[in-house]
Amino acid sequence: MSEQAGSKPYGGANRHHKPKPFAPIDFEPFAGGADPARVSEAAHLAAQALVRHGRDSDDPVITERLVRLADEQGLEAIAEMWAESPARSLPGALWRLYALRAATVQDPERISVYFRAGKDTAQVSNVVAGVAEPPGADEMRTMADAILSGAFDGEFDVALERSAAFCRVVALGQATLADGAEHANEAHASRLTRNSHQLVKTAEDLEHAANAWRLGELD
């Protein structure tokens, strides 16, 4: 989401370094590396444990592994499993929330500038039509923290829609600032425009995920 991020995914959020290698499913090393199929399965299991059950999962084995991994290696290790998941899946949605959270933590002032610029435009009512007040940078981070820690007890589809609205407002702000910077700094304007387009795509993915969740089809 920063204009310094170039063409990095999900609105330009800088991706953190890879954590210490770990094995999905049982989180023990496999000879020759992790099986991609097991990585995918682990990504879905971790996502389900966080969103549907959190630390009170009906499957204590899954929860114990998830909690131990989070405690020992941090949320980044879990999120790394989600990075290659399909965009419109539960782990894919959580990866996007993780990336949004990372961007707001890394540079909250810049994200707030984009958000305010988007909120001040006449078009903002159209891009968030039908959605409750979109969260600001601080609320977005707090909401993502709750979801990614398994502590969120609100309506998950609403949280996804509000996150999508946040993306759209920030993207609108980036586009607005890009227009203003076009003549003074063309390269800067181009980066802002590119990141704006990426954030709109992220918003669309989150909105699709919210609808799929309501239909019971997000897995």
Side-chain angles (χ1 to χ4, degrees), residues 11 18 29 98 141 150 152 164 218:
K18 287 182 178 296
Y98 176 80
R141 184 174 63 251
F152 184 72
L218 187 66

Side-chain angles (χ1 to χ4, degrees), residues 195-217:
N195 289 340
S196 174
H197 291 163
Q198 291 170 341
L199 264 183
V200 169
K201 177 62 169 60
T202 297
E204 291 171 349
D205 290 336
L206 290 171
E207 288 160 354
H208 183 278
N211 186 59
W213 178 267
R214 282 192 291 269
L215 297 174
E217 298 175 355

Side-chain angles (χ1 to χ4, degrees), residues 67-135:
V67 171
R68 185 172 68 247
L69 180 65
D71 289 344
E72 293 177 356
Q73 301 193 46
L75 178 61
E76 182 180 346
I78 299 175
E80 193 68 23
M81 289 190 294
W82 300 331
E84 304 305 323
S85 299
R88 299 185 176 187
S89 67
L90 181 56
L94 292 183
W95 169 251
R96 280 149 185 77
L97 292 179
Y98 176 80
L100 290 172
R101 175 191 176 278
T104 58
V105 168
Q106 181 182 38
D107 199 342
E109 292 184 7
R110 187 178 310 228
I111 300 305
S112 294
V113 167
Y114 296 154
F115 186 85
R116 287 194 297 270
K119 285 275 286 183
D120 289 343
T121 64
Q123 300 98 315
V124 69
S125 61
N126 294 326
V127 303
V128 297
V131 178
E133 184 72 10

Side-chain angles (χ1 to χ4, degrees), residues 174-190 192:
Q174 289 176 326
T176 299
L177 294 174
D179 289 343
E182 186 172 4
H183 297 296
N185 190 333
E186 185 175 350
H188 173 60
S190 295
L192 282 173

